[in-house]
Amino acid sequence: MKVACKIKTKINKIPPGKVFSYQDLGISNQEYGAAAKAISRLVKQKDVKKISTGAFYKPQKTIFGELRPSESEQLRPYLFNGRKRVAYVTGPALFNRLSLTTQVPKDINLSSKVKRPVSKVGNIEVRWVKSYVDVTNKNYFLLEILDALKDFKKIPDLNKKSAIKRIKALIIELKSLDIKRLVKYAQDYPPRTRALLGALLELINQKEDLSKLKKSINSLTTFKIGITQEILPNSKDWFIK
């Protein structure tokens, strides 16, 4: 089958409004040139629209006109490499989704071990932040929690008491194996992250051994996060103020 026919057949199977990239089409390096020309023709015919470099979608037509893909769908090619997750949304957009802030950011921060060449997706300004560990389908939601702890002091419009309660609730929902992985990943994060995590896990009464986590923190250090003992009763034990 010619590359152009192969491309058209695969694109026909993609639902309108779903963003796709060359990786989603299973294009080999040898076929890339022919594939680019085939997609370029489809763009000129308006069967396919380009949303950013290497990212396309089939327009969804309604009685009100064409609909653009949702924001999360527009970001999908940068969050995944095929079906493999390689990045996740972090920063203010994440904190808003986790109900830690009511502020809705106009920009999006993506965290990944490998920085990818994108600065704008549609009307969304995208900034890349290097992740502390490799991102996978199985760990990104744990890294989201650790990012919230790491940036706790920087979260805009933050109600600290409500935020601690919310993060505790997220941790309580985790399975035992995920708790172990959370503690393991925390070792690669700044000490203030480990301190907050340790204090929360201790309060939740997890059976997880926290001695390694505590030993990784310099007892002469004080983390000035603005959390009182009323909010976090054991904050002093984890050098948090």
Side-chain angles (χ1 to χ4, degrees):
M1 183 186 294
K2 289 184 177 180
V3 174
C5 293
K6 179 181 175 181
I7 292 291
K8 195 165 186 179
T9 299
K10 291 203 172 189
I11 289 177
N12 284 339
K13 295 178 181 178
I14 297 174
K18 185 176 179 64
V19 177
F20 62 91
S21 63
Y22 288 106
Q23 289 91 340
D24 296 313
L25 300 175
I27 304 302
S28 68
N29 290 335
Q30 293 78 14
E31 296 174 321
Y32 188 88
K37 289 180 181 178
I39 291 178
S40 180
R41 284 195 294 271
L42 292 173
V43 170
K44 286 180 181 178
Q45 294 166 11
K46 297 186 178 180
D47 293 326
V48 166
K49 290 201 171 183
K50 182 178 179 180
I51 200 163
S52 61
T53 304
F56 310 88
Y57 70 97
K58 286 163 57 179
Q60 187 174 359
K61 297 177 182 178
T62 71
I63 58 173
F64 303 106
E66 288 185 2
L67 296 180
R68 287 176 64 84
S70 65
E71 181 180 287
S72 58
E73 187 59 34
Q74 291 180 52
L75 291 171
R76 197 181 68 81
Y78 308 101
L79 298 176
F80 294 88
N81 185 354
R83 293 185 179 180
K84 180 183 177 184
R85 181 180 280 273
V86 293
Y88 63 96
V89 175
T90 190
L94 167 65
F95 308 144
N96 176 267
R97 181 169 62 77
L98 294 181
S99 301
L100 299 175
T101 178
T102 56
Q103 290 193 14
V104 180
K106 62 179 180 178
D107 301 331
I108 297 287
N109 292 347
L110 297 183
S111 185
S112 176
K113 266 287 190 180
V114 181
K115 187 176 179 179
R116 304 177 71 185
V118 57
S119 58
K120 197 168 185 179
V121 177
N123 296 320
I124 308 167
E125 293 288 343
V126 177
R127 297 192 185 96
W128 285 96
V129 179
K130 192 168 183 179
S131 62
Y132 288 86
V133 300
D134 289 317
V135 181
T136 70
N137 292 323
K138 294 182 179 180
N139 74 4
Y140 76 94
F141 61 96
L142 300 175
L143 304 185
E144 289 177 347
I145 293 173
L146 291 173
D147 282 4
L149 295 176
K150 174 178 68 73
D151 294 332
F152 192 87
K153 193 175 178 180
K154 300 178 184 177
I155 298 175
D157 192 30
L158 181 72
N159 181 311
K160 292 173 184 173
K161 188 173 183 179
S162 297
I164 287 294
K165 189 180 292 186
R166 174 61 180 146
I167 297 173
K168 272 178 65 180
L170 291 172
I171 295 173
I172 288 170
E173 291 174 2
L174 297 176
K175 297 177 181 177
S176 177
L177 180 60
D178 287 331
I179 293 288
K180 292 181 184 297
R181 293 162 68 210
L182 190 67
V183 171
K184 177 186 175 183
Y185 296 139
Q187 300 295 333
D188 292 316
Y189 274 73
R192 65 180 180 277
T193 309
R194 302 198 293 275
L196 262 177
L197 177 63
L200 288 171
L201 288 175
E202 190 174 75
L203 277 184
I204 294 167
N205 293 321
Q206 291 290 341
K207 295 178 182 179
E208 185 68 33
D209 181 9
L210 302 177
S211 59
K212 187 177 180 181
L213 201 60
K214 198 154 194 176
K215 285 177 183 177
S216 72
I217 302 168
N218 187 337
S219 59
L220 299 177
T221 302
T222 299
F223 305 104
K224 296 179 180 179
I225 304 174
I227 296 178
T228 63
Q229 286 184 279
E230 181 186 351
I231 296 173
L232 200 59
N234 60 343
S235 58
K236 194 174 181 180
D237 297 334
W238 288 86
F239 322 113
I240 297 168
K241 285 188 176 181

